[in-house]
């Protein structure tokens, strides 16, 4: 529903009591004409148009000497004539401005040196001047509404255009991502067969000739076989990475203890490794395969990079309302804080692959899966006394 402010939109405050009215020239000239007529017809010494804003009354236009009227002296809809004791006496008229909608816009106020009330003819003239002012207000409001409506539709149009462009870019990026995943999958899959053939051929040659070869040549053969095994592992990890987005998301209710028992069978955890699980057999409602891949990669990482004689891994489930928070803490060499971001990137390892066999994809896969399901992973370490990886997996 329209209010007084909507009729004087874009008006700028000078201070608490006065306004600048940046209206168009036609209305401004009309206000000046009305003021001039009132000053002349009613022999007035001062004229003011006051707007009735919710918090206070403010002066929109004035001519002549300043008129001071307290808020409580202004009635919303009662025409008022009063004598102010002065020498000489001042006659004040307060005439309410009522818009066609019934909205009480404000008042015409003027003062003159007199002690007599307005005649009926003067009241008719004043009423006519007020109607003229009201018509100007209504016309200006209609113009502002049209302008605002045009701006609104223009803004909506721009937003729709931006949304369409955004959707186009998202589809383009998705297509590029799908094509890259497809390329990675095909390339790594097609490379597996010739690599396996090369590996088997080298093993056959080594088995047939190892007794004939000097120790140095045997070591070279082992080095080549080691590189072939590394390439095979890399291709397998690349295939796993390319399949992340199509990973089976079937949910299951299962405990960390049960998941660990499944992971142990795959990783073949050495007997020298001690694993403690502090989860109280709490049941997790999770997409089983993605979570198991994350869990397996982090456990494998904690074992693979541990340089202690007796590696220890502590797995804890931290109580939380919105996440399954799992801490995986080890007593290994730790991770220097400057490498925290690097370790989650593709093909990045902090140790030589000749010292620790690995493709540098495990943590990247874990990180990508966690992000895909709306979670995050953090690492804490001083680079000396082990490290702690914390998974934040959203509860559904």
């Amino acid at each position: 529903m329209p209010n007084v402010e909507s009729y004087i939109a874009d008006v700028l405050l000078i201070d608490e009591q006065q306004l600048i009215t940046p209206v168009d020239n036609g209305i401004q000239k009309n206000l000046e004409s009305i003021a001039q007529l009132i000053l002349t017809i009613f022999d007035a010494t001062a004229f003011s148009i006051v707007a009735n804003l919710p918090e206070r009354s403010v002066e929109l236009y004035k001519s002549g000497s300043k008129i001071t009227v307290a808020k409580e002296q202004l009635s919303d809809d009662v025409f008022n004539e009063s004598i102010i004791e002065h020498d000489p006496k001042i006659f004040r008229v307060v005439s309410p401005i009522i818009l066609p909608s019934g909205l009480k816009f404000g008042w015409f106020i003027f003062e003159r040196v007199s002690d007599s009330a307005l005649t009926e003819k003067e009241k008719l003239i004043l009423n006519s001047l007020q109607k003229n002012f009201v018509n100007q207000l209504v016309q200006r409001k209609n113009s502002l509404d049209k302008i605002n409506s045009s701006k609104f539709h223009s803004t909506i149009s721009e937003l729709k255009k931006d949304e369409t462009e955004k959707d186009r870019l998202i589809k383009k990026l998705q297509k590029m991502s799908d094509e890259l995943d497809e390329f990675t999958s095909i390339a790594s899959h097609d490379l597996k067969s010739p690599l396996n053939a090369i590996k088997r051929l080298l093993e056959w040659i080594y088995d047939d000739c190892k007794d004939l070869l000097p120790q140095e040549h045997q070591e070279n053969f082992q080095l080549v076989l080691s590189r072939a095994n590394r390439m095979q592992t890399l291709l397998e990890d690349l295939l796993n990475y390319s399949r992340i987005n199509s990973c089976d998301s079937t949910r299951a209710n299962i405990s960390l203890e049960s998941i660990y028992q499944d992971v142990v069978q795959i990783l073949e955890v050495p007997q020298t490794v001690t694993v403690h699980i502090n989860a109280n057999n709490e049941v997790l409602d999770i997409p089983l395969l993605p979570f198991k891949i994350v869990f397996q990669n982090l456990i494998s990482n904690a074992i693979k990079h541990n340089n202690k004689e007796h590696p220890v891994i502590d797995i804890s489930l931290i109580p939380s309302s919105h996440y399954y928070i799992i801490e995986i803490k080890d007593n290994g060499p730790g991770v220097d804080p400057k490498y925290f971001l690097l370790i989650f990137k593709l093909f990045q390892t902090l140790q030589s692959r000749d010292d620790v066999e690995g493709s540098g994809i495990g943590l990247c896969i874990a990180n990508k899966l966690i992000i895909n399901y709306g979670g995050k992973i953090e690492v804490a370490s001083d680079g000396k006394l082990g490290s702690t990886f914390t998974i934040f997996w959203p509860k559904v």
Side-chain angles (χ1 to χ4, degrees):
M1 183 177 180
N3 52 26
V4 173
E5 290 96 325
S6 68
Y7 283 86
I8 54 174
D10 302 325
V11 170
L12 305 175
L13 278 169
I14 295 177
D15 53 41
E16 291 296 313
Q17 298 299 324
Q18 189 178 357
L19 297 174
I20 292 177
T21 315
V23 296
D24 58 77
N25 292 334
I27 295 180
Q28 188 67 32
K29 288 179 180 179
N30 186 265
L31 290 175
E32 293 170 358
S33 298
I34 290 173
Q36 190 60 44
L37 285 170
I38 285 179
L39 292 174
T40 302
I41 294 171
F42 300 101
D43 196 22
T45 57
F47 170 67
S48 178
I49 299 177
V50 176
N52 183 28
L53 298 181
E55 301 298 326
R56 63 188 189 279
S57 300
V58 290
E59 193 173 49
L60 291 178
Y61 185 87
K62 70 174 182 175
S63 182
S65 57
K66 182 173 178 60
I67 300 176
T68 303
V69 182
K71 173 75 172 177
E72 55 271 15
Q73 294 176 303
L74 296 172
S75 174
D76 285 345
D77 51 9
V78 178
F79 179 82
N80 180 269
E81 299 173 286
S82 60
I83 300 292
I84 300 173
E85 291 298 329
H86 197 269
D87 187 19
K89 289 183 178 180
I90 296 175
F91 181 75
R92 175 184 291 164
V93 173
V94 179
S95 180
I97 304 167
I98 310 297
L99 300 181
S101 63
L103 180 67
K104 297 162 185 176
F105 178 84
W107 302 268
F108 272 12
I109 304 173
F110 65 86
E111 293 178 347
R112 64 180 181 176
V113 178
S114 175
D115 56 1
S116 61
L118 296 181
T119 65
E120 288 303 317
K121 183 178 180 180
E122 287 177 325
K123 288 181 180 179
L124 287 172
I125 293 172
L126 179 59
N127 186 52
S128 176
L129 292 172
Q130 282 188 268
K131 283 183 178 179
N132 182 280
F133 175 67
V134 167
N135 288 336
Q136 290 287 334
L137 281 178
V138 171
Q139 289 176 19
R140 181 171 188 265
K141 173 69 164 54
N142 291 337
S143 296
L144 287 172
D145 287 345
K146 287 180 181 179
I147 292 171
N148 291 333
S149 177
S150 177
K151 288 181 179 178
F152 174 76
H153 288 298
S154 177
T155 301
I156 293 297
S157 178
E158 287 297 322
L159 287 174
K160 287 182 178 178
K161 184 178 178 181
D162 290 344
E163 193 68 25
T164 302
E165 181 65 13
K166 178 182 174 184
D167 290 341
R168 188 186 69 79
L169 288 173
I170 289 174
K171 289 178 181 178
K172 184 177 180 181
L173 287 172
Q174 185 61 51
K175 182 181 178 182
M176 291 171 63
S177 177
D178 292 343
E179 289 174 350
L180 181 60
D181 287 343
E182 184 180 7
F183 169 78
T184 304
S185 178
I186 292 173
S188 54
H189 184 272
D190 289 352
L191 285 172
K192 285 177 67 177
S193 294
L195 180 62
N196 287 334
I198 292 171
K199 182 182 172 186
R200 284 196 299 271
L201 183 60
L202 286 171
E203 289 172 343
W204 292 339
I205 295 174
Y206 179 74
D207 289 340
D208 291 341
C209 303
K210 63 182 178 181
D211 294 334
L212 305 175
L213 295 173
Q215 182 63 30
E216 181 182 353
H217 290 178
Q218 291 186 37
E219 291 175 357
N220 289 337
F221 254 99
Q222 288 298 329
L223 187 61
V224 173
L225 284 169
S226 174
R227 293 294 187 271
N229 286 328
R230 180 184 301 172
M231 181 62 73
Q232 190 174 42
T233 300
L234 179 61
L235 290 177
E236 288 292 343
D237 287 345
L238 273 174
L239 274 172
N240 291 333
Y241 185 80
S242 69
R243 292 168 180 161
I244 286 178
N245 292 329
S246 58
C247 188
D248 182 4
S249 296
T250 303
R251 305 187 70 84
N253 294 314
I254 191 170
S255 66
L256 276 181
E257 287 85 352
S258 296
I259 295 174
Y260 176 72
Q261 291 305 318
D262 291 342
V263 168
V264 167
Q265 304 302 318
I266 299 171
L267 293 181
E268 298 180 357
V269 178
Q271 293 184 350
T272 56
V273 176
T274 302
V275 177
H276 302 293
I277 301 179
N278 179 25
N280 297 320
N281 279 306
E282 181 178 334
V283 174
L284 283 60
D285 178 14
I286 51 173
L288 183 57
L289 184 57
F291 186 88
K292 188 179 289 186
I293 291 172
V294 170
F295 197 64
Q296 177 181 320
N297 276 304
L298 290 174
I299 297 296
S300 172
N301 190 69
I303 295 171
K304 188 186 302 179
H305 296 282
N306 200 307
N307 58 356
K308 300 297 189 296
E309 185 178 353
H310 296 288
V312 177
I313 302 173
D314 292 308
I315 303 170
S316 302
L317 179 62
I318 311 299
S320 171
S321 301
H322 304 293
Y323 292 91
Y324 294 116
I325 302 178
I326 299 100
E327 284 187 352
I328 300 176
K329 184 177 182 180
D330 63 65
N331 65 337
V335 179
D336 193 310
K338 67 182 180 181
Y339 297 125
F340 282 176
L341 293 178
L342 184 67
I343 60 175
F344 293 108
K345 294 186 180 297
L346 204 59
F347 304 127
Q348 296 297 325
T349 60
L350 300 184
Q351 293 175 275
S352 169
R353 287 185 174 88
D354 289 329
D355 297 330
V356 177
E357 196 64 51
S359 61
I361 296 179
L363 287 181
C364 182
I365 290 175
N367 185 46
K368 187 174 181 181
L369 277 170
I370 293 170
I371 291 174
N372 282 359
Y373 284 89
K376 65 177 181 177
I377 183 171
E378 295 178 351
V379 58
S381 177
D382 60 1
K384 299 176 182 177
L385 303 175
S387 56
T388 302
F389 287 84
T390 306
I391 303 169
F392 295 82
W393 196 283
K395 292 182 178 180
V396 176

